[in-house]
Amino acid sequence: MTRTDGEAYWQFLDLAEKAVRERTSVVHAMLRTGSVAGTWHPNGFATFEIELVEGLGLIRLHVWARHLRRSVPRHPEIHSHSFPLYSRVLCGTYRENQYEASETTAAGGMCAYRVVPTGRGGPDVLRRSESRYTATPILAEDAVFPAGSWHDLPAGVFHSTLIPPDDFCATIAVLGRHLPGVTDVLLGEAGFEQLNRSRAWLTSPELTEIRRQFDAESRACGER
């Protein structure tokens, strides 16, 4: 496991927090007016690219809508990134757990799938590793981040996000620059076969429903 700690990481968090704060109202307006297109992440939530900030990374809006998820069947949920991440919770509650992962020779271990870089907007290309892993949750229960709070992840930390399908959550995330020599890794069941695929665009009805839920949740957050 590779962690990104130290001064450079804290500088990233400071810059990311400022960038998100400056763009929050713009993000609200872009989604409410439908001026931004979205795609489905393989783990089932909607992603909207907001802006690529030079020297910082990519700003995206992530939305877990109620009863509107489109995940890839059997897609590994535990994963690590090759970049640091900062995320501000706009509405709802974000839930996450982190894991200690290690190689194992025991039968029944999890498969590792390494992500092949294909560039921004490129297809998802995975390569299965011959090694097997165990993943042990660090926390007894998922960590909970309510609206208005933020969370961060150094590169290389294995984690999973399991927001119940009847919950709503929206976050603005800053995906920092990829670190040299670090690869995105997924841990999941053996037999996952969709190793090459392009992400599906949200349909017009899906986008309309997400906009409706986002508007209602934003008003509710403001009222609190």
Side-chain angles (χ1 to χ4, degrees):
M1 179 184 298
T2 303
R3 289 190 66 101
T4 308
D5 297 307
E7 183 177 352
Y9 181 64
W10 294 107
Q11 288 178 348
F12 162 75
L13 294 182
D14 288 341
L15 292 173
E17 191 278 332
K18 180 181 179 182
V20 167
R21 178 163 28 89
E22 293 174 345
R23 292 165 175 80
T24 298
S25 60
V26 174
V27 172
H28 278 261
M30 291 176 70
L31 188 57
R32 284 173 170 167
T33 59
S35 61
V36 59
T39 60
W40 287 107
H41 188 279
N43 283 337
F45 59 93
T47 69
F48 302 85
E49 287 199 7
I50 304 301
E51 183 179 352
L52 181 63
V53 180
E54 184 176 357
L56 178 61
L58 179 64
I59 299 179
R60 293 199 315 205
L61 172 67
H62 294 169
V63 180
W64 291 262
R66 285 193 177 91
H67 304 298
L68 181 55
R69 314 282 173 87
R70 198 201 292 188
S71 59
V72 174
R74 301 181 68 183
H75 190 274
E77 295 178 338
I78 298 175
H79 59 284
S80 67
H81 300 302
S82 60
F83 52 83
L85 180 141
Y86 169 93
S87 181
R88 171 73 64 174
V89 184
L90 296 180
C91 297
T93 300
Y94 178 83
R95 300 175 184 273
E96 172 185 277
N97 209 331
Q98 299 179 11
Y99 300 81
E100 291 287 352
S102 58
E103 287 192 47
T104 180
T105 57
M110 306 177 78
C111 284
Y113 302 86
R114 300 189 180 277
V115 179
V116 178
T118 56
R120 180 180 168 201
D124 294 325
V125 178
L126 306 180
R127 292 291 180 265
R128 186 186 298 108
S129 170
E130 295 300 322
S131 301
R132 292 299 182 97
Y133 288 79
T134 59
T136 305
I138 293 176
L139 303 175
E141 297 180 351
D142 288 350
V144 175
F145 301 89
S149 66
W150 62 277
H151 69 97
D152 65 283
L153 276 172
V157 176
F158 284 98
H159 61 285
S160 66
T161 301
L162 297 174
I163 297 174
D166 56 350
D167 283 358
F168 181 95
C169 181
T171 68
I172 303 180
V174 180
L175 287 62
R177 291 175 293 179
H178 292 269
L179 301 184
V182 184
T183 305
D184 294 358
V185 180
L186 317 179
L187 298 180
E189 300 177 6
F192 178 68
E193 298 298 338
Q194 293 194 39
L195 303 182
N196 299 272
R197 63 182 300 277
S198 296
R199 300 192 178 188
W201 292 95
L202 271 71
T203 65
S204 180
E206 289 170 342
L207 180 57
T208 297
E209 175 59 16
I210 286 176
R211 289 170 55 195
R212 184 193 69 78
Q213 291 189 29
F214 183 83
D215 188 56
E217 291 291 334
S218 297
R219 290 198 303 269
C221 289
E223 291 170 357
R224 290 196 295 267

